[in-house]
Amino acid sequence: MFSSFEFIFKIVFFCLSIAWIGNILLLNSERQILINPLLMLLAALIIVIPSDAKEVFGFEVDSVKTFLYVFYCVVIMVGLPLTKGKKGKLRKRL
C-alpha cells in the first residue's frame, strides 16, 4: 500500500521543499533558525532509511517513512505562516 502513496508523498515533499526554499530566500525570520535543522534532519532520515529493510527500530519501514513524510509536510505547513512578516512573529510588536 505504501508504494502506491510513495510517489504522491515524494511530489508533495518536493513541492513543499521548493516553497520552503522560497520562504528562506525571500523572508528573514528568527523562527527559521529553529525549523531549518528539523527539516534537514527529517529529510536526511527519509533518505537514509533503506527501502529493502523490513523493520527500523521495531517499526515497519513503510510506517516510519509515512510518518516522516507527513511530519515533514506538517512542519512546513505550520512553519510557512509562522515565518511570514519582516521580523517573524517571535519578537514582540511595539
Side-chain angles (χ1 to χ4, degrees), residues 20 29-39 75 90:
W20 186 253
S29 173
E30 294 170 354
R31 291 194 182 213
Q32 289 175 349
I33 296 170
L34 301 172
I35 297 172
N36 288 340
L38 178 63
L39 292 177
V75 168
L90 193 57

Side-chain angles (χ1 to χ4, degrees), residues 17-18 38 47 50 54 57 64 71 76 82 87 93-94:
S17 296
I18 296 296
L38 178 63
I47 291 170
K54 293 186 179 182
F57 302 118
V64 172
F71 191 61
I76 289 181
L82 288 177
K87 295 183 180 179
R93 297 184 184 200
L94 298 176

Side-chain angles (χ1 to χ4, degrees), residues 13-25 76 80 84:
F13 178 84
F14 180 75
C15 293
L16 288 176
S17 296
I18 296 296
W20 186 253
I21 290 168
N23 186 27
I24 290 171
L25 294 174
I76 289 181
L80 284 174
K84 296 286 182 193

Side-chain angles (χ1 to χ4, degrees), residues 9 12-13 16 68-78:
F9 283 143
V12 172
F13 178 84
L16 288 176
L68 291 174
Y69 275 120
V70 170
F71 191 61
Y72 185 90
C73 295
V74 168
V75 168
I76 289 181
M77 294 175 103
V78 169

Side-chain angles (χ1 to χ4, degrees), residues 39-78:
L39 292 177
M40 290 186 326
L41 175 68
L42 290 172
L45 288 174
I46 289 171
I47 291 170
V48 170
I49 294 176
S51 298
D52 57 344
K54 293 186 179 182
E55 289 187 357
V56 174
F57 302 118
F59 298 102
E60 293 182 20
V61 172
D62 296 344
S63 301
V64 172
K65 280 193 171 186
T66 302
F67 172 77
L68 291 174
Y69 275 120
V70 170
F71 191 61
Y72 185 90
C73 295
V74 168
V75 168
I76 289 181
M77 294 175 103
V78 169

